[in-house]
Amino acid sequence: MARPVVIVGDCMLDVDIEGSATRLSPEAPVPVVDAERVWRRPGGAGLAAVLAARVESDVVLVTAIADDADGRALGDMLTEAGVTVVAMPLTGTTVCKTRIRASNQSMLRIDHGDGTPAPGDLPPQVGQMLDDARAVCVADYGKGVTAHPGLRRLLERAAQRAPLVWDPHPRGTDPVRGCHLVTPNQAEANGSSADGLRRKWQARAACVTLGSGGAVLATAEGSVHISVPASCGAGGGRADTCGAGDRFAVAATLALAAEADVAAAVSAAVEAASRFVASGGAAAVSRPARLSSQGRVTTEPAAVTSDVVEVRDRLRRRGGRLVATGGCFDLLHTGHVRLLHQARQLGDALVVLLNSDASVQGLKGPGRPVVAAADRARVLAALACVDAVVIFDECSPAAQLERLRPDVWVKGGDYAEADLPEAGVVRRHGGDVVLLPTVAGYSSTKLIQHATERKNS
């Protein structure tokens, strides 16, 4: 059985309200933001866990989550991302951070929620997971998880047998002794050198991250500056750096888990964080929502249509990277949902090109599809990661992709790119083709065969 990668820390709900600001309020000289889009995602250690789950199949998050509406939404998003949550007791309400943004510029942040981990004994599963961990990443956001005495003892014990990376916070607690790597940014370092922090925290290594300037790594052998590779396009200006620290810490953790030395791990983390920011940052792991007339955030339903041009134009007006995938989706199963969620994480909007009933019959033969196109489309549209569903009649999606021109075309890893004649269409328009791994044991054809065999037995 595979040993898990364990993420430990404070989890919160992050909400981005995006819009335009073209006028000032008559009541005060402040901008008025006309809200156009709303996004939600796990924040803090939850974001770190989701980022880890994009490349690891067994990710466990040890955190404290409240049993309220925001906490349940957090739990659902983490589960959909493939994260196993081991919950510590929480007193109070889920912490929620809402950013108001216009033209890619943050205008205001509103925080609410007073949740803090409850004192007392930890669930036994916390110790079991940390004892079995292949690597541990601590994402401290100053809300109290890392201050729990019992958890600190378990983390110090874990550091003796597995790589432990600690991403600290100014309002958090000091890292436990023996961390393999501590990763403060410049503000968190507060003028201290990487080597000074390494000694202060009794860590094996420490690095101070410098954003587009790379990082300074200190070990017992000395200090070294690690630059951002020129190919990363780290960028600057108004790039949204939200989540870059989590991406850095997770990448370093996974590299150490793969037995890289600390310098190679930090180099990999610098590159990963730079690419993360350049590709849109935390927006790539957000799910769309909308504001109701009462001001509540609710799930935004996807559009179901056969007009691929209308979908293209509508989503392009929103900006960002357009991702598309396609298939029959006859009996939606876990493998489909995981693929769709991972595809959505590659960009800012996801379009599903859905084979019509006639198209499915041509591909799969008589008796298929089991579920009519209208019903398959409604089920897909109900998924929060799907922005639009386009039904088409051809056996190949090439003609639809010629009009849609996505930035990314995604298929399951049971295909090879040579088997995808539409790949040439995507690449001709500047798009990328991404093959994502499938979930073993899940297949619509096998599910239908099994149901038929049981019915006939």
Side-chain angles (χ1 to χ4, degrees), residues 79-140:
T79 299
E80 287 180 11
V83 176
T84 300
V85 178
V86 176
M88 300 166 55
L90 185 81
T91 59
T93 57
T94 300
V95 175
C96 180
K97 297 183 176 182
T98 302
R99 296 191 303 170
I100 313 296
R101 293 171 56 81
S103 302
N104 295 322
Q105 176 67 52
S106 289
M107 312 290 288
L108 178 69
R109 197 180 91 182
I110 303 170
D111 293 1
H112 71 266
D114 59 356
T116 56
D121 294 338
L122 293 170
Q125 197 177 4
V126 174
Q128 294 168 6
M129 289 298 176
L130 287 171
D131 285 344
D132 196 38
R134 183 159 56 93
V136 179
C137 178
V138 177
D140 188 0

Side-chain angles (χ1 to χ4, degrees), residues 215-272:
V216 174
L217 169 66
T219 65
E221 286 72 38
S223 298
V224 62
H225 177 258
I226 297 175
S227 300
V228 177
S231 61
C232 286
R238 292 186 177 181
D240 187 3
T241 60
C242 178
D246 295 304
R247 184 69 188 95
F248 184 98
V250 165
T253 302
L254 297 180
L256 290 172
E259 300 184 351
D261 62 44
V262 69
V266 171
S267 295
V270 166
E271 180 174 352

